């Protein structure tokens, strides 16, 4: 029989060294088991609003149970309620962000990436849209659990060469999926079974962009206190120039007692 697990978590965010406004948002709710990061798109005003809306709507929808859980046509009947509630909450956030952008010219085109974990002691549902990432650090190995929805990745997955006139840096930064881009959004999900010692890192591309993954792993290897580790990751991103807002949320499972 497996030992019971407990969850601890912490998060932090920083504007970075080259931006004037922080368009990232995050939430850490241990009681609910919800941990999310959103990276706004569309300028200081629009991006900040979109990311905050995404976090707040998903959080309140999961917390208050205000969404009726229904399975859309074609949705897998085996999908567990944990995943269905998280995805339904993200769909609701997408609809509202899109509506605001269509209604108010000041926020036309605003959107946000999203990466979230909805978890309990036995399972963790991971959902993401865009290029914010979720990593797992297990047994001294860092593994990326999400795949960027970016122009760069789309070309790689299709086995295509990037056009000669397309800047590779631009291709990496252009997302092909985000909340608020349309009336509907395709949410990527996966279900994980946590083990004692597992550590999940949810981050915006302000960390994963400038910082090589081996350096991220080294910080996680030597980190004990999660709040201090989150701050160390942010400091590392800023040491690499801090080109963007950077947000990190850490979630760890450990054996009770």
């Amino acid at each position: 029989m497996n030992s019971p697990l407990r969850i601890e978590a912490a998060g932090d965010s920083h504007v970075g060294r080259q931006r004037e406004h922080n368009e990232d948002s995050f939430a850490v709710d241990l009681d609910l088991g919800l941990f999310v990061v959103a990276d706004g798109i569309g300028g200081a005003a629009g991006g900040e609003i979109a990311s905050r809306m995404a976090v707040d709507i998903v959080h309140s929808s999961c917390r208050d149970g205000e969404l009726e859980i229904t399975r859309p046509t074609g949705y897998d009947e085996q999908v567990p309620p944990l995943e269905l509630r998280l995805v339904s909450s993200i769909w609701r956030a997408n609809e509202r962000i899109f509506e605001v952008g269509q209604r108010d010219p000041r926020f036309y085109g605003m959107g946000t990436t999203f990466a979230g974990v909805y978890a309990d002691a036995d399972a963790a549902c991971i959902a993401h849209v865009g290029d914010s990432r979720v990593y797992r650090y297990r047994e001294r190995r860092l593994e990326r659990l999400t795949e960027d929805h970016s122009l760069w990745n789309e070309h790689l997955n299709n086995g295509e060469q990037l056009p000669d006139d397309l800047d590779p840096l631009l291709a990496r930064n252009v997302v092909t999926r985000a909340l608020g881009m349309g009336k509907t959004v395709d949410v990527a999900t996966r279900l994980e079974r946590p083990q004692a010692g597992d550590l999940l890192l949810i981050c915006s591309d302000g960390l994963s962009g400038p910082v090589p993954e081996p350096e991220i792993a080294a910080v996680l290897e030597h980190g004990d206190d999660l709040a201090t580790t989150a701050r160390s990751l942010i400091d590392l991103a800023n040491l690499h120039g801090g080109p963007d807002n950077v947000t990190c949320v850490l979630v760890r499972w450990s054996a009770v007692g």
Side-chain angles (χ1 to χ4, degrees):
M1 181 176 179
N2 292 331
S3 300
L5 303 179
R6 66 182 179 91
I7 303 174
E8 56 183 323
D12 207 345
S13 185
H14 192 269
V15 68
R17 299 182 63 183
Q18 298 183 29
R19 299 291 180 92
E20 296 182 357
H21 304 280
N22 193 345
E23 298 173 46
D24 288 359
S25 299
F26 74 96
V28 173
D29 189 330
L30 267 172
D31 292 334
L32 185 61
L34 183 68
F35 315 98
V36 301
V37 169
D39 180 359
I41 300 166
E48 185 176 352
I49 289 173
S51 69
R52 190 72 258 165
M53 285 180 67
V55 169
D56 288 347
I57 292 169
V58 170
H59 187 203
S60 63
S61 297
C62 290
R63 181 193 62 214
D64 301 335
E66 61 186 43
L67 283 175
E68 179 183 354
I69 299 301
T70 57
R71 296 181 186 272
T73 302
Y75 210 76
D76 190 342
E77 290 296 326
Q78 302 303 314
V79 171
L82 194 73
E83 178 179 336
L84 199 55
R85 180 167 294 280
L86 179 57
V87 172
S88 297
S89 299
I90 296 170
W91 285 339
R92 169 173 283 193
N94 177 75
E95 290 171 0
R96 291 190 177 174
I97 295 168
F98 180 73
E99 287 170 1
V100 171
Q102 294 296 303
R103 186 171 63 244
D104 192 329
R106 295 175 300 169
F107 306 130
Y108 180 79
M110 74 174 181
T112 182
T113 69
F114 181 93
V117 176
Y118 196 18
D120 57 26
D122 301 316
C125 176
I126 297 166
H128 87 287
V129 178
D131 60 0
S132 291
R133 293 180 178 178
V134 180
Y135 290 94
R136 179 177 60 205
Y137 190 70
R138 173 186 285 176
E139 297 176 350
R140 306 182 70 177
R141 178 172 175 262
L142 186 68
E143 179 184 2
R144 194 190 310 173
L145 300 182
T146 56
E147 186 170 318
D148 294 349
H149 302 137
S150 67
L151 189 59
W152 173 273
N153 227 33
E154 192 173 276
H155 276 79
L156 289 181
N157 289 339
N158 292 333
E160 301 171 352
Q161 293 287 336
L162 286 172
D164 293 336
D165 59 350
L166 182 61
D167 183 348
L169 181 60
L170 177 64
R172 290 182 187 273
N173 291 333
V174 173
V175 295
T176 54
R177 244 186 264 182
L179 304 191
M181 289 179 68
K183 289 184 179 180
T184 61
V185 66
D186 186 12
V187 181
T189 62
R190 65 185 290 166
L191 194 67
E192 293 291 327
R193 299 293 178 184
Q195 300 177 9
D198 278 0
L199 177 62
L200 293 187
L201 165 64
I202 312 166
C203 64
S204 62
D205 67 339
L207 176 70
S208 59
V211 182
E213 291 181 357
E215 293 187 31
I216 295 175
V219 172
L220 298 180
E221 170 66 22
H222 296 97
D224 184 21
D225 179 74
L226 294 187
T228 302
T229 304
R231 172 52 59 178
S232 297
L233 289 169
I234 288 173
D235 290 344
L236 182 59
N238 285 328
L239 282 174
H240 279 269
D244 201 352
N245 311 144
V246 55
T247 301
C248 303
V249 170
L250 294 167
V251 188
R252 182 163 60 201
W253 282 260
S254 56
V256 174

